[in-house]
Amino acid sequence: MSLNEDLDEGLTRAMSRAAGEFPPHSADLVQRSVARGRRMKLVRATQVAAATAVFALVTVGGTMMATGAVHSVGGDGTRSRPGASGQSTERSSSAAPVTVSGEEMVSTLKSLLPPGGTVSDASGRGTQSDGPFISPTAKLTYSTGKGSSGIDIRLARLDPGVPANQQGDGGCLPVEVRPYDKCTTRKLPGGAVLSTTKSFTYPNSDTGQKRWYVVYTTAAGVQVTVQEFGGGGEKGSVDGADPLLSTDRLTSIARSPAWAKAIAALPADDGHSTSPSAGTKHVPGTRMTSVLKSHLPHGGTISDLDASDDLVELVYDDGRGKNMVEADAQYNMSALLAKDMGCTGVAGDCEAWTMPDGTKVKKVKGHSEKGGSAAVWLVDTLRPDGRRVVVREVNSYAESAPVTRPQPALTMDRLLTIALDERFFTG
């Protein structure tokens, strides 16, 4: 996967948050948004690890299974502060590790393509025999008389100490983020999970280059991601041609036992999560959801709910059109937001003040920064002890989707009431 894609995909979820905030975000909010988005968006250039395993792989009904002895390694375990492509963990020098080369990755990918086509622009990245571990990848352009497709694959191992919905590429992205995706996720015999998505290279449009991808996650936590761009490499076409390979073919590539050696080269975790957010206080997603729902006017419908620690997004429809609503809660934000709770440099209609108890409040009525016509209304609150709640809404089911109602459904006063609700932090 290209560095450009890593950057584009890694920032998508962060930009969803940053676009609505208007003034500069706190570093922590953006970083947490990026971390959460990693599970949904083909962004991973690295893989967390703290041990390396040597596997003997067998295939039963197409499902990869791994057994073997483990030798220890060191590791950084970072997940919520994604770095540049090639972020790594150190291997142990006490045993010869299994490795795979970039050439082997390319060769394996070529062997799984339909016969009769030609391959160009092939490149791969393998693991290393010493020093830092690098996630193995391969990419190429596959062409036939019907056209071309850019195809790439990445292998990684999930961190068992981190919730599955906060890491990796699997699962379907919420409609609030990717309104034009067509995605399905299903559990396979043996515990593996397969996600299949038909999407577009640019998330805020339902036209242009098509991007199809599958994410196959084994019960043992190995994740294989295969994606394909219609018309050539990523961003290499705008004609909307279907990719040459079907999602079924992409699935067969992802599940192929031909990746056994590359999977064996992935480090295994020693069972200790080293997430830098470990020990940080969070607001449970169930609580976030309950509090936000309790403030929505009766008689409406709720759909497309997506919640995790500190963040909940949903679509509320009062019968007059769909409306995205989002709430984000954080602790210890005073220092980070010291200069960001005023209206200086804020685009749109902004007012800011301090309440008698010292809580800082900022209200903003503006427009989507994604180029669309959607209105974005936001209330940001910062308590004296550093607890922050941001509530925002969009007069559509997604910020990059068509407007579905004249203005957002909830008044600014209601957004403020939600943001000041102590139950986000007290249960």
Side-chain angles (χ1 to χ4, degrees):
M1 183 174 292
S2 68
L3 178 59
N4 284 340
E5 180 180 348
D6 290 338
L7 293 172
D8 289 345
E9 292 298 332
L11 287 173
T12 302
R13 215 31 213 269
M15 290 301 293
S16 173
R17 209 69 64 248
E21 293 282 328
F22 299 104
H25 270 303
S26 68
D28 182 67
L29 177 56
V30 174
Q31 288 167 332
R32 288 188 306 107
S33 298
V34 173
R36 185 171 181 268
R38 292 177 76 192
R39 73 173 171 93
M40 309 176 205
K41 301 182 175 195
L42 307 185
V43 296
R44 293 240 293 232
T46 67
Q47 180 58 35
V48 178
T52 300
V54 179
F55 292 88
L57 287 127
V58 297
T59 301
V60 180
T63 300
M64 292 176 284
M65 303 174 64
T67 61
V70 175
H71 60 275
S72 64
V73 299
D76 140 354
T78 301
R79 74 163 177 88
S80 64
R81 301 292 186 270
S85 176
Q87 181 178 341
S88 58
T89 58
E90 292 293 328
R91 290 182 179 273
S92 169
S93 59
S94 62
V98 175
T99 63
V100 65
S101 69
E103 291 77 11
E104 288 176 296
M105 289 293 296
V106 171
S107 177
T108 301
L109 180 56
K110 285 182 178 179
S111 72
L112 299 173
L113 298 175
T118 60
V119 171
S120 59
D121 301 320
S123 63
R125 184 177 69 188
T127 58
Q128 295 180 214
S129 59
D130 55 11
F133 170 80
I134 304 296
S135 275
T137 64
K139 64 181 298 184
L140 52 79
T141 299
Y142 174 75
S143 303
T144 69
K146 297 181 179 180
S148 299
S149 280
I151 302 170
D152 63 65
I153 186 168
R154 181 183 60 259
L155 281 69
R157 183 178 297 282
L158 302 184
D159 183 349
V162 178
N165 69 345
Q166 296 181 22
Q167 61 172 328
D169 301 332
C172 294
L173 304 178
V175 68
E176 298 93 336
V177 177
R178 299 287 301 220
Y180 304 111
D181 281 11
K182 295 180 179 179
C183 176
T184 60
T185 295
R186 59 191 175 99
K187 195 167 185 178
L188 305 176
V193 177
L194 179 69
S195 298
T196 302
T197 304
K198 290 186 175 182
S199 183
F200 296 86
T201 299
Y202 293 97
N204 61 345
S205 175
D206 59 353
T207 60
Q209 186 181 40
K210 293 182 179 180
R211 170 184 165 213
W212 295 355
Y213 61 93
V214 302
V215 182
Y216 174 60
T217 307
T218 71
V222 172
Q223 194 165 86
V224 184
T225 302
V226 185
Q227 66 173 344
E228 180 181 18
F229 297 92
E234 179 189 6
K235 300 179 182 177
S237 173
V238 294
D239 63 7
D242 282 350
L244 295 177
L245 307 188
S246 67
T247 53
D248 286 343
R249 188 72 185 223
L250 297 181
T251 298
S252 69
I253 292 174
R255 298 184 64 182
S256 173
W259 300 110
K261 182 179 179 181
I263 291 172
L266 297 174
D269 197 276
D270 64 359
H272 300 287
S273 173
T274 52
S275 165
S277 63
T280 301
K281 294 177 68 175
H282 293 289
V283 181
T286 52
R287 188 192 303 167
M288 295 290 300
T289 301
S290 176
V291 174
L292 179 58
K293 281 185 173 181
S294 72
H295 287 282
L296 299 178
H298 295 296
T301 60
I302 295 172
S303 62
D304 300 296
L305 173 67
D306 184 63
S308 65
D309 286 356
D310 307 330
L311 178 67
V312 58
E313 298 169 319
L314 54 81
V315 174
Y316 171 76
D317 191 340
D318 59 1
R320 300 179 180 88
K322 293 184 176 181
N323 190 83
M324 187 192 88
V325 186
E326 172 185 285
D328 194 315
Q330 301 164 281
Y331 288 92
N332 303 318
M333 298 300 292
S334 292
L336 289 169
L337 289 177
K339 299 180 180 179
D340 291 333
M341 291 303 294
C343 290
T344 302
V346 176
D349 181 10
C350 176
E351 64 176 308
W353 71 94
T354 301
M355 298 177 65
D357 67 355
T359 298
K360 296 182 182 298
V361 177
K362 179 171 61 180
K363 289 183 177 181
V364 180
K365 283 187 176 182
H367 291 280
S368 170
E369 293 185 354
K370 296 186 176 182
S373 56
V376 180
W377 291 4
L378 170 146
V379 172
D380 195 347
T381 60
L382 179 65
R383 291 165 170 81
D385 60 5
R387 293 177 296 160
R388 180 197 193 191
V389 176
V390 185
V391 185
R392 63 193 292 265
E393 63 176 332
V394 181
N395 59 336
S396 177
Y397 57 91
E399 190 171 334
S400 58
V403 167
T404 53
R405 53 186 301 127
Q407 64 180 21
L410 309 182
T411 66
M412 294 293 282
D413 286 342
R414 188 180 288 264
L415 294 186
L416 178 59
T417 299
I418 297 172
L420 293 176
D421 194 329
E422 286 285 344
R423 292 179 298 164
F424 282 116
F425 301 102
T426 60

